Amino acid sequence: MGKTSRRPSRQNRKSFGTTGSGLTVTIGASPQTKINGQPSFAGELRLLKSSLLYADHLDLLAPSAAWRDTLTPLLHTNTANPLLTVAKLPNETLQRLGVTKISPQEFREALRKLAATPPNHPQRREAEALWRPAILKLKKEATDYLHTPEGLELDIALETGAVTLISDGTRFEDSLDQQLEWFRDRLTQALGAPSATVLLDQVSTEYLRATADYTEGLPSVAGNRSRRSALGTGLVERLPAFPESPMSHILEAREELTEGRAAYRESVKALASKLQSSALDETLPSEIDEMWNDQVRPTLEELRKSATKTRVAVETGKRLSTEGYGVPTLLVAVANFTDLAAALPTPAAALAAVGRIAAAAAQEAFSTRTAVRNHDLVYLLDINKKLGKRSGR
């Protein structure tokens, strides 16, 4: 049958925030469903997209997505040889199908023995008659669950290796109460990890706020990290080009702007220190809104204008130097002062003045560009520019 999944295998770690170098953020996304009863990954995707532009690695803790790895092999099953196709499913998938009373190895061996008997063997025919319709049903359920636009977007993120799906200990057939209990346990575990940074959606935040263990808020270090992650990703989400950007564009921007992420996180530390709300406060989202509107957005607009002026100045200089304008015309274009040429006594003096004006303009343009590139928030400007280009805006 070939490979069961195009995605590289990933170990579901029980230690949060410990992957490689750089910053790992654990995303806590509560289950959501659509009107048709199918799980919605909209919340997970929003948090994933902004976090991919903030952190170096992500642990996705989301009950709605936790079963994806074990359901994916079902997409590759077929009814032509039902016994062997089921025997090739991985252990976790077999356990999801209810193979719990015997080991997956014993179950596979039994299926292989049946598949080796003659085609008209009564037990083989009976087993194949049971598995053929079951395979069709399971494959359809897996397709309906995984092959949605949201599901495919999630797959793109998982295939990068930058996202680890936390799924140990939960099953597709578990009740809602069991799934929520699993989610709460893993969320508490993530918050207790010494090096973990947790990013929570609204429902998860409300749950923690109502939990006895967190009535006083999160521990100091965990609280500060979570507040920073909420601010850092929240500012990304408020960029004009962000909301409509597909996952592929997000990942391209992430790869091209790798060097800017660490510097951006340093600037977020300074901004987060100005917030009065804690990580679990209801007022945190509104404070981030206020900071965006009053401080960040105006700053980005000024940076954009400065960058635009610099680019225009540089391009104008290039054009004037190659198009062979006469001295008076060149003066008018560079200095934007129509009487300057007439005020100069000789063409030689005029040419010298042009040289001084052009040199001063080049120096000013360089200084302006340097100031823009060195600004704390230029990373946000770069993200918006790259996402905007890809969306055609």
Side-chain angles (χ1 to χ4, degrees):
M1 290 194 311
K3 296 181 180 179
T4 57
S5 175
R6 292 185 297 112
R7 192 186 315 150
S9 61
R10 295 179 304 279
Q11 295 296 321
N12 293 313
R13 298 186 314 284
K14 296 184 179 179
S15 178
F16 292 86
T18 58
T19 300
S21 59
L23 174 67
T24 295
V25 169
T26 298
I27 296 175
S30 53
Q32 303 177 52
T33 57
K34 299 179 180 179
I35 296 176
N36 61 5
Q38 288 291 333
S40 170
F41 302 123
E44 288 89 334
L45 286 174
R46 176 181 61 83
L47 294 176
L48 269 178
K49 288 177 180 179
S50 57
S51 297
L52 282 165
L53 296 170
Y54 176 75
D56 300 305
H57 190 91
L58 304 174
D59 286 341
L60 179 58
L61 178 58
S64 295
W67 317 292
R68 298 183 66 79
D69 280 348
T70 50
L71 289 180
T72 299
L74 295 173
L75 297 173
H76 306 279
T77 55
N78 63 74
T79 58
N81 198 340
L83 300 182
L84 289 182
T85 197
V86 173
K88 291 181 180 180
L89 293 174
N91 291 355
E92 295 83 358
T93 302
L94 291 177
Q95 290 167 353
R96 291 276 162 83
L97 298 180
V99 180
T100 56
K101 293 184 178 180
I102 62 173
S103 70
Q105 291 76 14
E106 292 172 322
F107 181 75
R108 288 195 191 92
E109 185 60 29
L111 289 181
R112 291 189 179 111
K113 285 182 178 179
L114 273 179
T117 60
N120 61 350
H121 191 283
Q123 289 184 337
R124 174 175 174 173
R125 294 177 63 183
E126 181 181 359
E128 289 180 341
L130 288 171
W131 276 110
R132 280 197 177 95
I135 287 172
L136 289 173
K137 180 181 179 182
L138 292 168
K139 191 170 184 176
K140 182 181 184 305
E141 289 179 353
T143 301
D144 291 344
Y145 184 84
L146 299 170
H147 281 187
T148 63
E150 290 178 352
L152 295 174
E153 287 252 292
L154 187 54
D155 267 344
I156 293 174
L158 292 171
E159 287 171 0
T160 65
V163 182
T164 296
L165 190 61
I166 306 299
S167 61
D168 59 300
T170 184
R171 302 182 307 159
F172 185 69
E173 62 270 21
D174 285 345
S175 68
L176 180 60
D177 288 342
Q178 289 173 312
Q179 293 173 31
L180 291 176
E181 182 180 0
W182 172 86
F183 180 61
R184 289 192 292 265
D185 289 346
R186 292 299 182 276
L187 192 57
T188 301
Q189 182 182 351
L191 288 167
S195 61
T197 296
V198 178
L199 178 65
L200 305 168
D201 65 5
Q202 182 179 355
V203 174
S204 301
T205 302
E206 291 174 355
Y207 157 71
L208 289 178
R209 203 160 43 230
T211 302
D213 292 340
Y214 300 107
T215 52
E216 300 299 322
L218 299 178
S220 177
V221 174
N224 287 335
R225 288 173 177 167
S226 294
R227 182 173 64 171
R228 289 200 298 266
S229 68
L231 176 61
T233 58
L235 295 179
V236 170
E237 289 174 12
R238 286 162 175 79
L239 292 171
F242 175 83
E244 302 302 322
S245 295
M247 182 63 74
S248 58
H249 292 182
I250 296 292
L251 292 173
E252 288 173 11
R254 168 186 164 86
E255 182 177 357
E256 293 175 15
L257 301 175
T258 297
E259 295 181 359
R261 281 204 305 274
Y264 173 63
R265 291 197 295 265
E266 284 299 312
S267 68
V268 168
K269 287 182 182 179
L271 289 173
S273 66
K274 301 177 182 179
L275 297 173
Q276 297 181 9
S277 302
S278 72
L280 298 185
D281 284 347
E282 294 181 21
T283 53
L284 181 58
S286 63
E287 254 205 291
I288 295 175
D289 271 336
E290 186 177 358
M291 179 170 283
W292 166 260
N293 290 317
D294 294 349
Q295 182 174 345
V296 177
R297 183 170 62 181
T299 298
L300 294 180
E301 183 60 25
E302 286 302 314
L303 288 175
R304 186 192 64 78
K305 289 179 181 178
S306 296
T308 301
K309 288 179 181 178
T310 303
R311 185 171 63 253
V312 170
V314 171
E315 292 303 320
T316 299
K318 291 179 181 178
R319 189 174 68 251
L320 292 175
S321 66
T322 58
E323 290 182 0
Y325 285 127
V327 171
T329 306
L330 185 58
L331 282 168
V332 172
V334 174
N336 196 24
F337 182 48
T338 55
D339 294 329
L340 182 58
L344 293 172
T346 65
L351 189 59
V354 169
R356 290 194 297 273
I357 293 169
Q363 183 177 359
E364 181 180 358
F366 179 80
S367 299
T368 302
R369 184 181 186 281
T370 301
V372 170
R373 298 312 309 165
N374 287 341
H375 196 281
D376 290 345
L377 296 177
V378 71
Y379 179 68
L380 291 175
L381 191 70
D382 290 342
I383 290 174
N384 194 65
K385 179 180 178 181
K386 289 191 178 296
L387 295 181
K389 278 185 177 180
R390 286 170 175 78
S391 65
R393 292 183 177 182

